[in-house]
Amino acid sequence: MIGNGRPVREVAESLGIGENLIYRWRSHQEPKGAIGKENDFSVSDQQALLKRIRELEMERDILKKALAIFSRQT
């Protein structure tokens, strides 16, 4: 299926091109390392991921401050 819900075969036939060309175009449009569709995550999953990101950023900032403190004491 293509983004508009039409099968690749149908689109290829309507454009008069091979299916492989459509797959090749699509692979060039998708970001490297992308897994699935961008809508695979529910809203609650997204909120949980954002919360985890904030927690990790806070931990990173604390570790940076600790490194700065320990570096000054020497």
Side-chain angles (χ1 to χ4, degrees):
M1 294 276 189
I2 295 192
N4 62 2
R6 293 174 58 196
V8 172
R9 176 173 292 181
E10 180 184 318
V11 174
E13 288 174 359
S14 69
L15 294 173
I17 59 175
E19 292 178 42
N20 289 338
L21 185 57
I22 293 177
Y23 287 117
R24 195 172 328 135
W25 286 343
R26 188 168 59 182
S27 71
H28 287 290
Q29 294 301 313
E30 293 175 352
K32 298 285 185 218
I35 300 174
K37 298 177 185 174
E38 61 186 351
N39 296 333
D40 282 350
F41 293 108
S42 69
V43 173
S44 61
D45 288 340
Q46 291 175 7
Q47 289 172 342
L49 289 170
L50 290 173
K51 181 181 177 187
R52 182 64 178 142
I53 288 170
R54 284 192 298 273
E55 290 172 356
L56 291 171
E57 288 173 340
M58 221 168 41
E59 288 177 17
R60 178 202 60 202
D61 293 342
I62 291 169
L63 290 172
K64 279 184 181 179
K65 290 176 185 176
L67 180 62
I69 290 169
F70 289 121
S71 295
R72 280 188 280 169
Q73 290 182 352
T74 56

